[in-house]
Amino acid sequence: MRYMAKQKSKHHHGNLRSALISEGIHILEVDGVAGLSLRKIATAAGVSHAAPAHHFKGKTALLVAIAAYGFRIFTDFMQEGRENAGPGPHEQILGLCQGYLDFAEKHGALFELIFSTEIKSHADKDLQNASLRAFQLLEETCALFEPSRYAEKGNEIMVWSLVHGYATLRIHNKLMLQSDGSEMPFELILPRLDPKNSNLLK
Amino acid sequence: MRYMAKQKSKHHHGNLRSALISEGIHILEVDGVAGLSLRKIATAAGVSHAAPAHHFKGKTALLVAIAAYGFRIFTDFMQEGRENAGPGPHEQILGLCQGYLDFAEKHGALFELIFSTEIKSHADKDLQNASLRAFQLLEETCALFEPSRYAEKGNEIMVWSLVHGYATLRIHNKLMLQSDGSEMPFELILPRLDPKNSNLLK
DNA sequence: CGTTAATCTTGACGGTGTAAAGTTCAATGC
DNA sequence: GCATTGAACTTTACACCGTCAAGATTAACG
């Protein structure tokens, strides 16, 4: 259900594998990580509860595949955030972070899944590639700045830690409030970095 | 077992409630969050699987109690990190963060639990107090610096986000490496803040 | 000493992931 | 054209899980 097989049903189902991932993401957004079970996914895809075993080694393997897909959505959000931002280096990195935060807010369960210890510990190639691409997008954006004076990739890891911490704390913390009750905007805690080629235009 | 009741066994067990929390933390360190079940905790405490229901409303309530205890350990780690650091403001905040990171490393499962969405969403008073105390310790340390020019509590939230993001990313990411393969030290990404009363001694 | 209430046990229920065995069916070889 | 093969899926079963209801035990109290 809810998922239209692209090719006419060949064997019994057609393309169960991608359907399971698709249904998994859907259930994730509805019931959260806690409500995501293999049997529920299988039922949603219209197959018996043991059918997924022929496409994924176990529940974790299916979750890993879902997470890899989630990572690509995550990367798209960051990319889009960048494109919607102004051309300046600071605007660019801020836009990327805004995409980061938008994803965490709109796809909270998926965000929780892709950064859960159960998933990241399993060394799946597809997942690692998807995860790496996300970080590379950040690296590209950080390349607009002079590298950190203190350590190689210092800027990258500083920004990544900052935005990731901000995102996770915002999800389950109410500590991020200013005294007037409004939320602390992320741009106010992101340090300004030295733009590269700052001798050209300014 | 493994836990000695302090008072001679009164009813049947004595003080099941605290024993369950204690056993829960122990199992957590051995089997991780995924391996932590109500029945396992009950068995470890030497009672039947339904006994915990008389002390905690459900599994989540027990986990919340464990998390509250974990938050106090967490706060102790930060306190100790501060005390082991030098007297300067930057050394103090760095020491606190080091305690933060030590806790995340040595008590990874507990760290995962206390910041899990399942726990933090439940509004338990004891948990909130324990959680608040942790943040207050950070606020005290940030009081050694001039407040952020950009936003109230800007320093607090910046440091908290930074160290939290660094800790969580370090747990399940291998991206924090410099080109020589060594880990990026936290002190290299923590921006220097303006110490308060900087006109006195220097 | 009898009552009461808290503590804990026992048993049962539906749900979970996983493994084994059986069934269906498309593709392949002759 | 037809039997064979093997993949896809189903059925059945098992151990474990959280939770609930009912019963047993025992401390505390009048």
Side-chain angles (χ1 to χ4, degrees):
Chain A
M1 336 291 174
R2 208 195 65 79
Y3 183 86
M4 211 48 195
K6 279 161 195 156
Q7 54 189 127
K8 55 184 177 181
S9 69
K10 285 170 57 181
H11 280 291
H12 291 167
H13 179 277
N15 45 0
L16 227 199
R17 192 190 149 89
S18 57
L20 290 171
I21 296 176
S22 172
E23 292 293 343
I25 287 189
H26 181 237
I27 293 178
L28 205 50
E29 315 251 286
V30 175
D31 301 328
V33 175
L36 188 68
S37 77
L38 248 177
R39 293 170 106 104
K40 208 184 287 183
I41 297 175
T43 301
V47 294
S48 77
H49 65 269
H54 290 261
H55 298 272
F56 300 98
K57 191 165 184 157
K59 184 190 182 183
T60 302
L62 174 52
L63 293 189
V64 164
I66 293 174
Y69 188 80
F71 251 111
R72 292 188 201 102
I73 301 176
F74 175 51
T75 306
D76 291 343
F77 263 71
M78 288 193 288
Q79 180 85 53
E80 194 175 348
R82 248 188 89 171
E83 290 167 357
N84 289 344
H90 190 71
E91 294 166 300
Q92 284 280 296
I93 193 79
L94 211 50
L96 180 124
C97 289
Q98 197 52 54
Y100 198 115
L101 298 175
D102 284 347
F103 176 80
E105 190 173 6
K106 293 183 187 165
H107 302 284
L110 200 47
F111 180 78
E112 184 184 347
L113 178 70
I114 70 178
F115 286 112
S116 68
T117 59
E118 181 193 2
I119 297 306
K120 298 282 291 192
S121 64
H122 265 256
D124 177 78
K125 207 169 189 180
D126 189 33
L127 175 69
Q128 283 180 335
N129 283 340
S131 160
L132 186 61
R133 251 204 70 208
F135 188 71
Q136 283 173 339
L137 186 59
L138 174 73
E139 285 184 316
E140 289 172 23
T141 313
C142 282
L144 302 173
F145 300 91
E146 291 289 339
S148 166
R149 277 182 299 256
Y150 307 111
E152 184 199 359
K153 291 194 187 178
N155 287 342
E156 287 85 338
I157 295 182
M158 190 271 286
V159 173
W160 192 261
S161 297
L162 193 64
V163 67
H164 186 75
Y166 182 90
T168 57
L169 289 177
R170 188 167 70 157
I171 287 179
H172 45 236
N173 238 353
K174 274 63 191 171
L175 300 174
M176 322 286 285
L177 303 178
Q178 305 174 86
S179 62
D180 62 356
S182 69
E183 193 181 67
M184 163 85 59
F186 179 74
E187 58 251 42
L188 295 186
I189 67 168
L190 178 68
R192 286 200 167 259
L193 305 173
D194 291 338
K196 203 176 275 184
N197 299 332
S198 57
N199 50 347
L200 272 185
L201 293 178
K202 184 137 197 296
Chain B
M1 330 298 175
R2 204 197 66 82
Y3 183 84
M4 209 49 193
K6 278 160 195 157
Q7 52 190 129
K8 55 182 177 180
S9 71
K10 285 169 58 181
H11 282 290
H12 289 166
H13 179 277
N15 45 1
L16 225 200
R17 192 190 148 89
S18 58
L20 290 171
I21 296 175
S22 172
E23 292 295 341
I25 288 190
H26 181 237
I27 293 179
L28 206 49
E29 316 253 284
V30 175
D31 300 328
V33 174
L36 187 68
S37 76
L38 248 177
R39 293 171 106 104
K40 208 185 285 184
I41 297 176
T43 302
V47 294
S48 78
H49 65 268
H54 291 263
H55 296 272
F56 300 98
K57 191 164 184 156
K59 184 190 182 184
T60 303
L62 174 52
L63 293 189
V64 164
I66 293 174
Y69 189 80
F71 250 110
R72 294 189 200 100
I73 301 177
F74 175 52
T75 305
D76 291 344
F77 263 72
M78 287 194 288
Q79 181 85 51
E80 194 175 349
R82 248 188 89 170
E83 290 168 356
N84 289 344
H90 190 71
E91 293 167 302
Q92 286 281 295
I93 193 79
L94 211 51
L96 179 122
C97 289
Q98 197 54 54
Y100 198 115
L101 298 175
D102 284 347
F103 176 79
E105 189 173 7
K106 292 183 186 163
H107 301 285
L110 201 47
F111 180 78
E112 185 184 347
L113 179 70
I114 70 178
F115 286 111
S116 68
T117 60
E118 183 194 0
I119 298 306
K120 298 281 292 191
S121 65
H122 265 256
D124 178 76
K125 208 170 187 178
D126 189 34
L127 175 69
Q128 283 180 335
N129 283 340
S131 161
L132 187 61
R133 251 203 70 210
F135 188 70
Q136 284 174 340
L137 187 59
L138 174 73
E139 284 185 316
E140 290 173 23
T141 314
C142 281
L144 302 173
F145 300 91
E146 291 290 340
S148 165
R149 276 182 301 256
Y150 307 110
E152 184 199 359
K153 292 192 184 179
N155 287 343
E156 287 85 339
I157 295 183
M158 190 272 286
V159 173
W160 191 262
S161 296
L162 192 64
V163 66
H164 186 75
Y166 182 90
T168 57
L169 289 176
R170 188 167 69 158
I171 287 178
H172 45 236
N173 239 353
K174 273 62 189 171
L175 299 174
M176 322 286 286
L177 303 178
Q178 303 173 89
S179 61
D180 61 355
S182 69
E183 193 182 66
M184 163 84 59
F186 178 75
E187 60 249 42
L188 295 187
I189 67 168
L190 178 67
R192 286 200 167 259
L193 305 173
D194 291 337
K196 204 175 275 184
N197 298 331
S198 58
N199 50 347
L200 272 185
L201 294 179
K202 183 140 196 296

